[in-house]
Amino acid sequence: MSAAEKTRERRVHRSGRLFASELGLMCGRRRNQVGLATLFALVVLVGVALKVSAMRRPGSRGGDLVSAVAGNGIYLGFAGLTIEIALFLPLAVSVLAGDAVAGEANQGTLRYLLLAPVGRLRLLVVKAGALIVGSVIGAMVVAAGGVLTGVVLFGAGPLISLSGTQLSVADGLWRLALAALYVATGLAALGMIGLFISTLTEQPIAATVATAMVGTLLWVLDAVPQLDWLHPWLLVDRWPAFVDLLREPVFLDRIVAGLGINAAYGAVFFALAWLRFRGKDITS
Amino acid sequence: MKAQQQSETRRRTTRLIGAGVIVALLLASLTGLFARGAAADPTLPPLTPTELLNRVATAQVDGMSATFTQRSDLGLPALPSGIGGGDELQSALTLLTGTHTIRVWTAGPQHSRVSLVDDDSESSVIRNGNQVWTWSSEQQKAGHATIDAKTPTARPTGAPSTPAEAIDRLLKAIGPSTEVTASGTGYVAGRPVYQLILAPKDAASLIGQVRLFVDATTYVPLGLRVLDRGGAEAVSLLASTVDFSVPAAGVFEFTPPAGVEVTELDAKASDHPTGTAKSRPETKTVGTGWTTVLVASTGTTKVTDATAKALLDSLPAVSGAWGRGRLLSTSLVNVVLTDDGRVAVGAVTEDRLYAALAR
């Protein structure tokens, strides 16, 4: 093994350790654990509310995802994503993103991090990676929590796709996992916006609030019919397209377009974050 | 000193590279998204409008899977839900506003499926041999009809059975009153197309022109745009993806899932879901071609539904020698609802409607 290879291996090893420690920090923070519990509690709440209304008025069943839960608990996974995609999941990612750089700067730990032989780009990549993992965990907790609650309250069975075909339980769960991953890509893209904002300030709260506001603003713009020419360019416009996975044959057009938009937003804002971070004076 | 200069240069270079990367990313995403729109028109062997129309009428493909985007901008506000009475009528009304996605599959004349794909719902009409199914995810209802096997293509009302026949009939109907011109080439769904402009000659028509896009290799129409008199786009139906391979047979199979209400439709009802025999309005047509006016007498003057009544009362009141009524005016279609229960509909100016009502 040459010296260069050895150095590279050591570097990779070091990055891996840094990434692991970043994940450990992220998952170990009490506020993040509480946030995750809140995401879970919300689907439980929706499930209980649906159970109560189903007991009061049995037999009434609409066609949307939320009312489909009364017939099959697995739908609560999809319904949970639908309900939390607009506010709660983006809020959770905003909290993580606010912490990413501004949190370290605020605590005065950023300069110590940079004292270690770790490049700034590498540090930012690790932060971005942790945000992506956080997005996946958030979406998965909502989907899995929904299925768990739904199955306990309503039982499970084969699903009826939006196209009127029957899907086996395994097929339904597989599609739900894909839906959660798709939602996670969107959340990760919002996380990159948050990462950029996080490099602009030393106040994690400010970064969190600003990121959450950007997310909300995008949803508001997406709801204004007069701006329909703008909608395809908005990050959140195709987020709800995960329901297209419930069609037979699966309808991929909107999902592929959504993945493209998510990737474009993610790449541009990560690049902006790096441009800002590499020239930043770290004073605290 | 020299080392400092060197590091300064290096920093500037990296900064330049960074800025370059961002600009490149932005440009790449923009060009990627605009590439189709900006691509130069394809050069195709020239065809006269008649030649092109003949090829369209005889076009035949073994199979097709396509996604169409339908846009309507008739100057109507988004309709409040709950009006329109019949469910099918309402789903037809929703097509008048906003943007919709339609998925289409065909495999010969015997197998077809059309699905209206909205946010989190889907409604489909599926034909598999002599079996016809309708499905609405919103209502969790399926409908079923069997087409007579002996005359598989003859529909009770004489509705066209193939798109080519429909176009053929359309052209016969509008032929003498239409100016047909070929208008170069373009791309639809990434495929080179011929463009055809159909323009009504009658000045009373609200339709300025219809632009038809015809696939250059299969001659299957891939879309159309309807422009109003002012040249603004009122309705468009354009393919966003097209695949001319035969779709899997499973696409046309439909088995109503357990727990879903299935209604047996007789073939007649499936063609005219809104007009039951009892209340079918008396209709007559006035005029020909593009400026045909449909006058129907509903027989009732009372509007029972509160939302519908409020909506009706918000329309401007009009009157003339023909009587009194309300005018619903859009960029493409005018409708007069008279107080004595008659309805006149046409893609014509309101004066033409009044004239038809006065007859």
Side-chain angles (χ1 to χ4, degrees):
Chain A
M1 197 183 278
S2 74
E5 272 176 2
K6 232 179 225 168
T7 327
R8 185 187 293 164
E9 190 160 284
R10 210 178 297 144
R11 261 193 200 168
V12 169
H13 190 64
R14 210 182 286 142
S15 307
R17 231 174 25 202
L18 188 66
F19 188 56
S21 102
E22 178 69 26
L23 283 185
L25 269 177
M26 187 178 76
C27 298
R29 277 193 195 108
R30 193 46 57 89
R31 58 173 173 276
N32 292 350
Q33 292 166 354
V34 171
L36 220 49
T38 313
L39 291 179
F40 179 72
L42 211 74
V43 259
V44 175
L45 194 71
V46 171
V48 170
L50 287 171
K51 183 72 185 174
V52 169
S53 97
M55 284 197 296
R56 277 196 188 155
R57 281 175 298 148
S60 65
R61 187 183 171 220
D64 60 297
L65 285 175
V66 176
S67 40
V69 174
N72 190 332
I74 295 175
Y75 279 115
L76 192 54
F78 291 97
L81 287 177
T82 309
I83 290 163
E84 301 204 20
I85 202 172
L87 182 61
F88 291 93
L89 282 170
L91 200 58
V93 171
S94 304
V95 171
L96 297 184
D99 269 338
V101 178
E104 301 268 12
N106 192 42
Q107 288 183 329
T109 44
L110 191 54
R111 55 183 157 161
Y112 296 111
L113 259 183
L114 291 172
L115 278 181
V118 172
R120 289 189 175 193
L121 177 61
R122 192 158 301 198
L123 182 63
L124 208 60
V125 167
V126 164
K127 293 282 181 191
L131 281 177
I132 292 171
V133 172
S135 305
V136 173
I137 293 177
M140 283 294 179
V141 160
V142 171
V147 170
L148 211 66
T149 316
V151 170
V152 167
L153 290 176
F154 299 99
L159 289 91
I160 301 172
S161 75
L162 289 174
S163 308
T165 56
Q166 203 147 30
L167 307 175
S168 69
V169 172
D171 195 7
L173 291 177
W174 165 239
R175 289 180 192 221
L176 178 61
L178 288 180
L181 280 179
Y182 172 71
V183 169
T185 62
L187 293 173
L190 181 68
M192 295 307 128
I193 297 181
L195 186 65
F196 170 57
I197 296 175
S198 189
T199 60
L200 298 178
T201 170
E202 289 182 359
Q203 293 298 326
I205 295 291
T208 297
V209 170
T211 311
M213 273 168 65
V214 168
T216 311
L217 181 72
L218 289 172
W219 280 109
V220 169
L221 290 177
D222 198 47
V224 178
Q226 282 78 5
L227 296 176
D228 58 355
W229 51 270
L230 184 69
H231 291 172
W233 307 92
L234 295 177
L235 174 62
V236 300
D237 184 55
R238 292 189 188 82
W239 283 11
F242 68 86
V243 296
D244 286 350
L245 288 165
L246 275 177
R247 303 182 196 280
E248 192 67 44
V250 172
F251 185 47
L252 284 176
D253 294 19
R254 288 196 281 219
I255 289 179
V256 169
L259 286 175
I261 287 279
N262 292 347
Y265 267 85
V268 166
F269 279 95
F270 178 78
L272 285 175
W274 176 55
L275 272 192
R276 164 71 190 159
F277 188 57
R278 54 180 284 284
K280 191 182 180 182
D281 289 331
I282 308 296
T283 52
S284 54
Chain B
M1 197 63 193
K2 205 174 175 192
Q4 203 180 343
Q5 252 177 3
Q6 253 179 0
S7 85
E8 183 64 30
T9 331
R10 199 179 300 153
R11 195 178 295 166
R12 203 171 292 157
T13 328
T14 34
R15 194 169 297 168
L16 266 176
I17 292 173
V21 165
I22 289 201
V23 169
L25 270 174
L26 281 172
L27 279 180
S29 48
L30 282 178
T31 46
L33 287 155
F34 280 123
R36 268 186 203 168
D41 291 343
T43 22
L44 301 168
L47 287 175
T48 66
T50 336
E51 276 174 336
L52 191 54
L53 285 174
N54 282 338
R55 294 207 186 174
V56 170
T58 54
Q60 204 139 43
V61 286
D62 295 334
M64 174 169 111
S65 324
T67 307
F68 287 87
T69 307
Q70 188 251 345
R71 279 195 187 82
S72 300
D73 184 10
L74 299 177
L76 281 172
L79 288 167
S81 58
I83 62 149
D87 300 320
E88 288 83 0
L89 178 62
Q90 193 180 335
S91 63
L93 281 176
T94 58
L95 282 177
L96 291 179
T97 55
T99 306
H100 301 274
T101 306
I102 301 162
R103 300 175 82 187
V104 177
W105 295 265
T106 60
Q110 296 278 321
H111 300 272
S112 65
R113 173 169 157 192
V114 178
S115 296
L116 176 63
V117 175
D118 271 334
D119 292 342
D120 62 349
S121 66
E122 186 166 326
S123 28
S124 311
V125 179
I126 304 156
R127 178 168 176 202
N128 191 8
N130 63 347
Q131 302 291 305
V132 176
W133 288 96
T134 62
W135 160 253
S136 160
S137 79
E138 222 160 342
Q139 293 153 19
Q140 293 286 307
K141 274 185 192 164
H144 174 249
T146 311
I147 300 176
D148 194 350
K150 284 174 206 151
T151 51
T153 49
R155 302 254 179 110
T157 49
S161 59
T162 62
E165 197 184 330
I167 289 169
D168 202 34
R169 272 192 215 186
L170 177 79
L171 292 174
K172 273 201 190 108
I174 61 169
S177 61
T178 311
E179 209 173 295
V180 183
T181 41
S183 156
T185 58
Y187 285 99
V188 170
R191 297 177 65 89
V193 292
Y194 287 102
Q195 293 184 36
L196 211 57
I197 295 182
L198 314 171
K201 287 176 186 162
D202 193 333
S205 167
L206 289 182
I207 298 172
Q209 51 174 247
V210 176
R211 292 174 180 225
L212 193 66
F213 303 98
V214 179
D215 187 67
T217 40
T218 61
Y219 301 102
V220 169
L222 292 184
L224 56 83
R225 291 178 197 277
V226 182
L227 310 186
D228 64 18
R229 273 276 159 213
E233 187 178 295
V235 177
S236 75
L237 178 68
L238 282 175
S240 53
T241 55
V242 185
D243 177 9
F244 282 106
S245 56
V246 181
V251 169
F252 306 106
E253 276 161 21
F254 186 83
T255 319
V260 162
E261 191 186 323
V262 181
T263 39
E264 241 358 89
L265 323 152
D266 61 291
K268 215 167 211 159
S270 74
D271 275 350
H272 284 283
T274 50
T276 52
K278 203 167 53 179
S279 68
R280 178 166 292 165
E282 244 175 75
T283 58
K284 64 170 181 176
T285 54
V286 179
T288 54
W290 296 87
T291 51
T292 307
V293 176
L294 183 77
V295 182
S297 154
T298 55
T300 57
T301 51
K302 259 201 249 165
V303 180
T304 43
D305 189 57
T307 336
K309 183 154 173 42
L311 199 68
L312 195 62
D313 286 344
S314 69
L315 296 173
V318 286
S319 62
W322 47 272
R324 315 170 58 78
R326 304 262 174 189
L327 172 70
L328 172 62
S329 184
T330 72
S331 57
L332 215 56
V333 177
N334 278 331
V335 182
V336 174
L337 302 124
T338 67
D339 290 353
D340 57 358
R342 288 182 298 159
V343 180
V345 186
V348 292
T349 54
E350 58 259 40
D351 292 333
R352 206 42 99 79
L353 287 184
Y354 302 151
L357 278 169
R359 268 199 209 185

